[in-house]
Amino acid sequence: MTTPILQSPLAETDLVDWGVIPTMIEGESHTSGKLLHKGPEGRSECGLWVCTPGKWHCHVTRDEFCHFLEGRCTYVHESGEVIEIEPDTAAFFPQDWKGICTVHETIKKVYMIR
């Protein structure tokens, strides 16, 4: 068994088109990325995710840890809590987190979902 690694994720250009966010409010956020690892039965996953500007409804269906590498976005929880994301921000979104995401500048993040 080998250990999956992603060297220099900011420089990564070999990305797969993952389509448009289906819950758009404004604009058309387009996503792409690179899957680093998917666990048995898809219970966990990690990789690189890129999203272009737009505003959309966000529902986190499983715990997700993110380290944002570039870009800027704002998450507003349904309770009103505002989370400003800029480069080199780490965040943990618990399962069933719901709110609005506004991507101001294309974001690139590495993530782990479980």
Side-chain angles (χ1 to χ4, degrees), residues 30-52:
H30 195 90
T31 64
S32 58
K34 183 169 190 167
L35 187 63
L36 184 60
H37 174 76
K38 194 164 194 112
E41 300 168 14
R43 288 189 303 254
S44 65
E45 163 183 327
C46 61
L48 175 68
W49 188 75
V50 177
C51 183
T52 62

Side-chain angles (χ1 to χ4, degrees), residues 68 71-75 83-86 101-104 107:
F68 294 85
R72 289 185 325 101
C73 66
T74 304
Y75 287 89
I83 304 161
E84 295 292 346
I85 302 293
E86 57 187 34
C101 177
T102 304
V103 177
H104 309 289
I107 55 174

